[in-house]
Structure formats: C-alpha cells, structure tokens
C-alpha cells in the first residue's frame, strides 16, 4: 500500500507542479524561475512528500470512519 501511495504522490506532484507552472507564467514569472520551481528534482520530491503525507492522512481518516461504521474488517 505504501508503494502505491508513493507512486500516486509522485504523479500528483507532477500534475500540481505543471499547473503551478502555468499559473506562475500567467502571473508574469520569468521562464527561468518557473522552470527551476517546477522541474527541480528537490522541489518535485518535496511536493511528492507533502502529497504523500496528505494521502496517508486521508487514508487514516477513511479507515477510522469505516471502522466506526462497521465496514472495516
């Protein structure tokens, strides 16, 4: 399950950074800054970790709701 969340978080990080780049360009940011802010491996890793943590948190909340409702096994 953790490997799936990591893979999903990397995909979502690239989507978020892609749209973030579009937003930055539309606001007049220099292309060099946009490229550095959206293509830097350290930025991609940091965003992927944040999204992964959010997905893990949602999974935990969903598991607690399912357990209280009697849906968890």
């Amino acid at each position: 399950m953790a490997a799936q969340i990591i893979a999903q978080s990397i995909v979502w990080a690239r989507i978020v950074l892609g749209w973030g780049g579009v937003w930055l360009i539309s606001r007049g940011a220099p292309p060099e800054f946009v490229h550095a802010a959206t293509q830097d491996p350290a930025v991609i890793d940091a965003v992927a970790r944040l999204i992964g943590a959010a997905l893990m948190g949602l999974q935990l909340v969903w598991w607690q709701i399912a357990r209280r409702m009697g849906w968890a096994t």
Side-chain angles (χ1 to χ4, degrees):
M1 183 59 106
Q4 181 181 5
I5 290 176
I6 291 169
Q8 288 174 349
S9 65
I10 292 171
V11 169
W12 278 108
R14 293 194 181 274
I15 292 169
V16 167
L17 289 172
W19 282 106
V22 170
W23 184 82
L24 287 170
I25 288 172
S26 71
R27 299 299 185 265
E32 299 84 17
F33 172 77
V34 173
H35 186 270
T38 59
Q39 300 297 319
D40 183 24
V43 173
I44 294 170
D45 184 55
V47 171
R49 287 176 186 264
L50 287 171
I51 292 173
L55 289 173
M56 296 282 281
L58 287 173
Q59 181 182 15
L60 178 62
V61 168
W62 176 250
W63 179 78
Q64 289 176 348
I65 291 170
R67 188 181 61 167
R68 289 183 183 169
M69 299 292 286
W71 300 336
T73 57

